[in-house]
Every structure is written in C-alpha cells, then in structure tokens.
Amino acid sequence: MCSPSVYSSFLKHCKKSAPKRCASIIKRKKDSGYSTMAEHQKQEEKLWNALSISAYVFGTGLLLFTALVNSVSWFVQNFWNTPGRFWQNTWLKCYHHYEGDEWTIFLLGAALVPALAFWCFNALLLVADVTGKPTFITRYRIQLGKNDPVDTKKLRQAIYTALCNQFFVSFPMLVPMFYVMQWWGNSFSKELPSFPWFLVELSIFTLVEEILFYYSHRLVHHPVLYKYIHKKHHEWTAPIGVVSIYAHPLEHIISNMLPVMTGPMIMGSHIVSIAVWFSLALITTSISHCGYHLPFLPSPEFHDFHHLKFNQCYGVLGVLDYLHGTDTVFRQTKAYERHKVLLGLTPLSESIPDAPKKAE
C-alpha cells in the first residue's frame, strides 16, 4: 500500500505531464502529415479515387486498343479478299500455263520480273540523267551541279558492268537457290501465302538484308579489299540509279546478292513472295543511288552521303550505323535534316539548303 503523501505526489506528476504527452501525440500526428483522423480518411479516399481512375483509364484504353486492332485486322482482311482472289487466280493461270514447270516459273519470278522492274525504273531516271529533262525530276538533284548531264562514257561502262553482273553473276547464283527452294517444298505451291504472312516475311527479309549488307559492306571498305574490290563502286561519288549494281563481281556476290537471297532461303518463301521482294530490293537500291530526292519516295540522302564521304552510312536502314556510331558525321549535316520522305513539291535542297561556304 502506498502512503497518502506518495499517492498525492503521483497525481500531481500525472497532471503536470499529461499536457506534454498530448502535445507530443499531436506533434507526431502533424509530423506524419495528418493533423486529424478526418484528414487521414480524406487522404485515403483521394488515393483510392486515384487508383480507381487509373484502373478505369487503363482498362478503357486496353479495350479500345483491342477493338482497334481487331477492326484493323478485319478491315485488312476484307480489303485483301477481292484482290487476294484476283492474284490467286492469276497465279493459278500462270502455274497451269507453264504446266507446273518449277524451273521456268522460278526463272520468271526470281530473274525476269525483278530485272524488268529494275531496268524499267532506271530507264526513266536515265532519260533525266542524259538529257537533263524533265525538269520535274532534275530539280530534285541532291548533289547540285553533278551529273548535269551525266558523263556518257562513264554511263556506258556502268550499264555494261550492270548487265554483266546480272547475266554472269546474279542468274547463275539462282541455280543453287532454286534447289534450296525445292528442298523446302512449298515455294511452288498452288496456294499463295496470305497477305499478313507476306508482311511478316518482308520484315524478316529486311532485317536479314540490313545485317548482312552492313557487315559485308564494312568488310569491303577494309583497305586491303577496298583497293581491289570496292573502289570500283565508289568511282561514282555522285551516283545514279544504275550504279546500284555497278560493282566488282565478288562484291556483287557478297554485298548485293547474298543479303537479298538469304531471307527467302531461310523462310522457304513462295516464288511470288521472292519475285516481289527481289523487285522491291532492286527498286529501293536504285532509289538510294539515283541522286534525286523525289517526292513521296524513300529518302536517298543516307546512301548518297556514303558515296560523298566514303566512311559514313554503311547500312540500308541506318539502325546498325547508329549502334556502331558510323553515322555521327552524317547527323551533323544538312543532309541528315533532309533525310525524310518529301511530302510536298518543293525540293528539300531549297527548303533546307546547305550552309554557305566560308570565304577563304
């Protein structure tokens, strides 16, 4: 039992310390950010509302994205149904016309069709190169004052070399490719691949070409190989379309043919897919070398800069150049600013002109 005096002292101590404890509790609440329980509840409600809104927005966005993807897929499928049937019927007529002769069909698809696409496209460019007309084309020249008009002697040599590469290098290389495609067993199927699958193949072809072309191109720029092999291609510092296959035969095999052929051989693609891919590859490389930045066509500024400076821009897409840092100089130039699809009719050499040269 405590004595009355001790008990009285304890009560006095409690009365004195109680306000301090209350103040301490209030202080801790203030330090935690909540002065009252009501504010604490309000903060919890705000947090819950934010989470609810986020979940609603994310869920709605996901539903809209799914609906959009399904709608696009439906539209593409329906859009492709009619032309798809047309091409399927056309392919069957061609197949039966040649009585299923796979070798003849392969030569037509892998050799004749791409060659016609290449020379028809370049014929239009050659008219502008030789005559300087029509001005609608020549006003889009990248390197102003070059090939205006083109040196006819150099041009004849370029055409002769390009034809030799096609007949004596490209066409013979199609022979082993034919047997590879036969081994796959579906390259001459009576049923064409679906359009979505062709887009998948096209993406893979492009990726394979970018990798093989970039590294093989850098290889032939090695001083030992450049002097004897690649220097021939770089005789044209201001290239024209036909120069795209103006090269030493060994370079034509390593850098021009193999990067384009490998994708279809890996995928076991249909001969129609091969014909379209080879034609696209030849037209695209012609655009890259043509010397004109024409409206609505892919920009040739990247590869044209390579011919101008030699040690920049080795690839096709520019992805590996960016990763390896072989486009750093290009990115600091006006040519890089012009490296885009021209959507108007004003030449980019006029809207984004080169900086004036400093007077010496």
Side-chain angles (χ1 to χ4, degrees):
M1 293 283 300
C2 294
S3 65
S5 59
V6 174
Y7 184 70
S8 176
S9 299
F10 176 72
L11 288 177
K12 288 179 181 179
H13 175 73
C14 289
K15 287 179 181 179
K16 289 180 181 179
S17 61
K20 293 181 180 179
R21 287 198 301 271
C22 291
S24 176
I25 292 170
I26 292 171
K27 185 176 182 301
R28 284 199 301 270
K29 286 183 176 180
K30 287 182 177 179
D31 291 342
S32 65
Y34 308 114
S35 58
T36 63
M37 286 298 293
E39 289 187 11
H40 179 69
Q41 289 176 351
K42 285 181 181 178
Q43 293 295 334
E44 287 184 342
E45 288 177 2
K46 286 182 180 179
L47 179 61
W48 176 252
N49 289 336
L51 290 173
S52 300
I53 292 171
S54 299
Y56 174 78
V57 171
F58 178 77
T60 304
L62 185 62
L63 288 173
L64 289 173
F65 176 76
T66 305
L68 179 63
V69 169
N70 289 335
S71 299
V72 171
S73 300
W74 176 86
F75 175 79
V76 170
Q77 188 64 35
N78 281 273
F79 176 79
W80 183 248
N81 276 343
T82 301
R85 286 193 293 271
F86 168 77
W87 290 116
Q88 177 65 51
N89 292 334
T90 303
W91 161 245
L92 286 175
K93 289 178 182 178
C94 178
Y95 185 87
H96 292 305
H97 176 76
Y98 292 102
E99 299 178 347
D101 185 347
E102 294 180 352
W103 174 244
T104 302
I105 293 171
F106 183 76
L107 282 181
L108 287 172
L112 182 61
V113 171
L116 286 174
F118 176 83
W119 287 108
C120 287
F121 181 76
N122 276 285
L124 298 174
L125 296 174
L126 285 172
V127 171
D129 293 330
V130 174
T131 66
K133 298 178 181 179
T135 54
F136 174 76
I137 292 179
T138 56
R139 67 191 292 249
Y140 294 99
R141 196 183 305 277
I142 296 172
Q143 297 187 38
L144 300 176
K146 303 285 185 69
N147 296 326
D148 190 18
V150 70
D151 185 328
T152 53
K153 183 179 179 180
K154 284 182 66 178
L155 177 60
R156 284 195 296 269
Q157 183 184 6
I159 292 174
Y160 172 76
T161 301
L163 287 170
C164 286
N165 279 336
Q166 281 189 320
F167 281 101
F168 301 114
V169 179
S170 297
F171 294 165
M173 287 183 71
L174 294 177
V175 176
M177 184 182 181
F178 168 73
Y179 290 107
V180 172
M181 307 321 294
Q182 266 196 330
W183 175 78
W184 273 103
N186 57 359
S187 296
F188 305 96
S189 170
K190 293 182 180 180
E191 184 177 353
L192 291 178
S194 66
F195 184 65
W197 176 247
F198 171 70
L199 294 180
V200 172
E201 286 189 311
L202 195 61
S203 301
I204 295 172
F205 299 163
T206 304
L207 179 63
V208 171
E209 183 196 22
E210 172 73 4
I211 294 170
L212 294 181
F213 179 76
Y214 178 85
Y215 292 111
S216 63
H217 191 188
R218 286 200 69 176
L219 177 65
V220 294
H221 266 270
H222 188 280
V224 175
L225 298 178
Y226 180 84
K227 181 179 179 181
Y228 299 103
I229 297 176
H230 194 49
K231 186 177 180 180
K232 184 179 185 68
H233 184 69
H234 273 282
E235 290 172 3
W236 292 76
T237 55
I240 61 174
V242 73
V243 170
S244 55
I245 56 173
Y246 173 74
H248 187 282
L250 187 58
E251 180 188 349
H252 188 61
I253 294 171
I254 296 172
S255 289
N256 292 343
M257 291 300 295
L258 287 178
V260 176
M261 292 170 58
T262 303
M265 288 194 291
I266 291 173
M267 299 297 293
S269 301
H270 197 280
I271 182 57
V272 172
S273 299
I274 295 171
V276 174
W277 164 240
F278 280 8
S279 300
L280 285 175
L282 283 169
I283 290 174
T284 301
T285 191
S286 296
I287 293 172
S288 297
H289 288 83
C290 72
Y292 304 106
H293 195 147
L294 298 169
F296 312 111
L297 292 180
S299 168
E301 300 279 353
F302 188 78
H303 196 73
D304 195 272
F305 191 81
H306 172 75
H307 275 262
L308 186 64
K309 298 297 183 182
F310 287 60
N311 60 353
Q312 290 280 298
C313 310
Y314 294 98
V316 179
L317 303 177
V319 177
L320 290 175
D321 283 283
Y322 178 76
L323 293 176
H324 288 286
T326 49
D327 63 348
T328 52
V329 175
F330 174 67
R331 288 175 175 273
Q332 298 169 8
T333 65
K334 290 290 185 179
Y336 176 68
E337 296 180 35
R338 296 191 290 262
H339 186 46
K340 56 186 177 182
V341 176
L342 176 57
L343 299 177
L345 296 180
T346 303
L348 287 172
S349 59
E350 295 178 9
S351 58
I352 311 176
D354 288 326
K357 294 182 179 179
K358 295 181 180 179
E360 296 181 0

